[in-house]
Amino acid sequence: MTRRIIDLRSDTVTKPTPEMREAMANAEVGDDVYGEDPTVNRLEALAAEMVGKEAAVFVPTGTMGNQISIMSWTQRGDEIILESTAHIYTYEVAAPAVLSQVQVRPITGKYGAMDPCDVKSAVRGVNIHFPRTTLICMENTHNRSGGCVLPLENMKAIYDIAKERNISVHLDGARVFNAATALGVDVKEITQYADSVQFCLSKGLCAPVGSLVAGPEDFVARARKARKLLGGGMRQAGILAAAGIIALEKMVHRLGEDHQNAKRLAEGLSQIPGLEIDMASVQTNMVAVGIKETGMDEFGFAAFLKSIGVLVNPSLPYVVRMVTHHDVTSSDIDEAVSRVRDALKK
Ligand code: TLP
């Protein structure tokens, strides 16, 4: 009997819904480099409005969204502050160094949150030896900490420090709607503490492709030009934007289900001898599972789970990451837990 594959590697694996596919097929389109794609224009206006910013630009990926934001806020030789396991620092191929030619100043956080005192002391003073600190990046939800949510007070404290020193703040909000859902607030309550925000349509919101970068008009104009520089000026992108509009209008409200499934998964796995889960870190749709006692490392454990039809990603040393999303049900979660329990028993 072939077993159904339960794919918990990432919420990026979600497929577009039938409604998205229909909207994509029927989308009104034009050449977006001329600003003439009505569906892209509608998505950008909707996105800006939702996160409380003046304007937004549609980009192919979250990585490009973060990088054009850094390019648009900084100059060559500047320094940017971020948390030491931030996606921008860990998973974006050293793009801040390559594209913006800035130096990154990583700060160790707790559950993804930097201590505002550490941020304050990392901001450079005026000195002929020092680079200029021109940008602080935060990430909410925070991927490498296991999807933790930055508390609003933490974001505010860091934003206030930045504003005192005339520094811009960028939010990597790839999963900012998960953060808003977990906090039970409108997403604007979060994005108010950032000058610019990047958020993804292609993760828990199920769109096939795309992210948005939102912020002040002049910043978005620079970001649009940086997108062109990187080859991200798309033509009849309304085909993609049509799915993005449905992602924002119809998919945000259901993210709580993914969070409940993550808790269910974490509770189930935590009963299994050899697996260790910090329940305090299970705040959204991710579960970081410590596996040291199984005698396998994160790569070996991921391969072991693959052999029983459960896909996960290796994360930190002796930790694998499991992500819940639209395309796994609560019974898939129960099935995954029982497969892991049975396989480890053997
Ligand atoms: N994260 C992916 C992988 O790159 C690790 C995932 O599966 O979680 N910011 C954050 C916080 C992200 O988690 C991601 C994607 C991105 C940016 C980049 O988005 P894309 O993949 O669209 O470039």
Side-chain angles (χ1 to χ4, degrees), residues 33 60 64 68 224-235:
V33 173
M64 189 187 285
I68 65 174
R224 201 177 281 283
K225 194 150 180 157
R227 179 187 71 169
K228 193 79 187 82
L229 184 151
L230 296 180
M234 297 176 285
R235 302 296 177 174

Side-chain angles (χ1 to χ4, degrees), residues 16-313:
T17 62
E19 191 180 0
M20 286 179 181
R21 287 191 186 263
E22 194 181 326
M24 292 171 81
N26 296 321
E28 236 190 294
V29 294
D31 189 330
D32 181 49
V33 173
Y34 294 115
E36 289 172 4
D37 188 302
T39 312
V40 172
N41 293 343
R42 206 145 58 80
L43 172 65
E44 291 179 345
L46 172 67
E49 196 270 318
M50 281 176 88
V51 296
K53 302 294 176 202
E54 282 175 10
V57 55
F58 183 48
V59 294
T61 64
T63 301
M64 189 187 285
N66 284 333
Q67 296 306 324
I68 65 174
S69 300
I70 297 169
M71 287 170 83
S72 302
W73 285 128
T74 63
Q75 289 181 0
R76 184 167 70 105
D78 288 352
E79 188 166 74
I80 70 171
I81 294 173
L82 42 62
E83 200 280 324
S84 62
T85 57
H87 193 280
I88 289 174
Y89 185 54
T90 314
Y91 290 124
E92 300 191 9
V93 210
V98 177
L99 300 173
S100 299
Q101 300 181 32
V102 293
Q103 173 161 284
V104 171
R105 180 88 176 260
I107 290 185
T108 305
K110 210 166 172 193
Y111 294 117
M114 296 178 282
D115 184 328
C117 297
D118 295 343
V119 173
K120 195 169 187 169
S121 41
V123 172
R124 301 283 191 158
V126 178
N127 182 308
I128 195 169
H129 302 89
F130 293 163
R132 296 185 315 151
T133 304
T134 47
L135 184 66
I136 299 172
C137 299
M138 293 189 261
E139 184 177 313
N140 202 4
T141 64
H142 188 275
N143 187 339
R144 292 272 283 187
S145 67
C148 291
V149 180
L150 303 187
L152 288 175
E153 319 78 71
N154 177 262
M155 290 192 71
K156 180 180 187 316
I158 292 173
Y159 186 69
D160 288 347
I161 291 165
K163 292 304 102 181
E164 265 168 34
R165 303 292 294 269
N166 205 19
I167 295 169
S168 302
V169 175
H170 172 69
L171 175 64
D172 178 354
R175 298 183 180 82
V176 73
F177 290 101
N178 292 83
T181 301
L183 290 171
V185 299
D186 187 283
V187 72
K188 289 190 201 72
E189 299 282 317
I190 299 174
T191 54
Q192 66 177 321
Y193 301 125
D195 300 300
S196 62
V197 54
Q198 176 284 120
F199 61 91
C200 296
L201 304 170
S202 61
K203 304 205 158 50
L205 302 182
C206 298
V209 173
S211 288
L212 286 124
V213 172
E217 295 263 12
D218 55 343
F219 160 83
V220 170
R222 293 196 299 279
R224 201 177 281 283
K225 194 150 180 157
R227 179 187 71 169
K228 193 79 187 82
L229 184 151
L230 296 180
M234 297 176 285
R235 302 296 177 174
Q236 285 73 40
I239 302 263
L240 301 173
I245 291 169
I246 292 171
L248 289 180
E249 288 182 339
K250 307 254 175 98
M251 303 306 284
V252 171
H253 75 91
R254 59 152 306 283
L255 291 172
E257 280 173 43
D258 299 343
H259 299 186
Q260 279 166 15
N261 278 337
K263 284 229 160 60
R264 190 182 183 102
L265 178 66
E267 278 157 14
L269 294 174
S270 66
Q271 309 297 316
I272 300 176
L275 302 185
E276 201 185 322
I277 293 167
D278 172 6
M279 291 304 287
S281 75
V282 186
Q283 300 175 7
T284 58
N285 67 331
M286 295 185 185
V287 184
V289 186
I291 47 122
K292 202 162 198 171
E293 284 176 32
T294 64
M296 289 176 258
D297 69 9
E298 64 278 17
F299 301 99
F301 192 73
F304 171 69
L305 293 196
K306 190 174 178 187
S307 73
I308 56 167
V310 177
L311 305 185
V312 304
N313 268 337

